[in-house]
Amino acid sequence: MDAHAPRRAAGLRLLALASLSSGCTGAPSIPFAGAYFPAWLVCAMVGVAGAIVARLVFVSTGLAQVLPLQLFVCTAIGIMVGALAWLFWVGM
């Protein structure tokens, strides 16, 4: 019996399990101007737009004068908007 047999058997089991996974069936994408853009890129742009809108709302309401750490707040709002766009659009 080979000393590496248990390690080889574990590797074969791992390879068999990896081949059964269907997680790599393709990334969600959208066609735009003849090219396919990944869905995460579109959701990131939606998040950036959400952060910009939040900043404009803070400035127009005067909340920007009172709110500390505005960069972190606007970044968090942008991340939440992008994640919600991903959740509603892709549904994962």
Side-chain angles (χ1 to χ4, degrees):
M1 179 135 186
D2 188 14
H4 298 288
R7 180 183 249 174
R8 196 172 302 136
L12 287 175
R13 280 192 296 265
L14 185 63
L15 182 64
L17 285 174
S19 67
L20 294 175
S21 69
S22 63
C24 299
T25 58
S29 58
I30 60 165
F32 180 73
Y36 287 95
F37 288 94
W40 65 265
L41 185 62
V42 175
C43 291
M45 292 295 114
V46 169
V48 168
I52 291 171
V53 167
R55 173 71 178 149
L56 293 175
V57 168
F58 291 156
V59 170
S60 66
T61 60
L63 192 58
Q65 302 297 326
V66 185
L67 187 67
L69 302 172
Q70 294 176 35
L71 176 65
F72 297 118
V73 172
C74 291
T75 302
I77 290 172
I79 290 171
M80 286 189 297
V81 168
L84 285 174
W86 179 266
L87 181 67
F88 288 129
W89 184 23
V90 178
M92 291 184 162

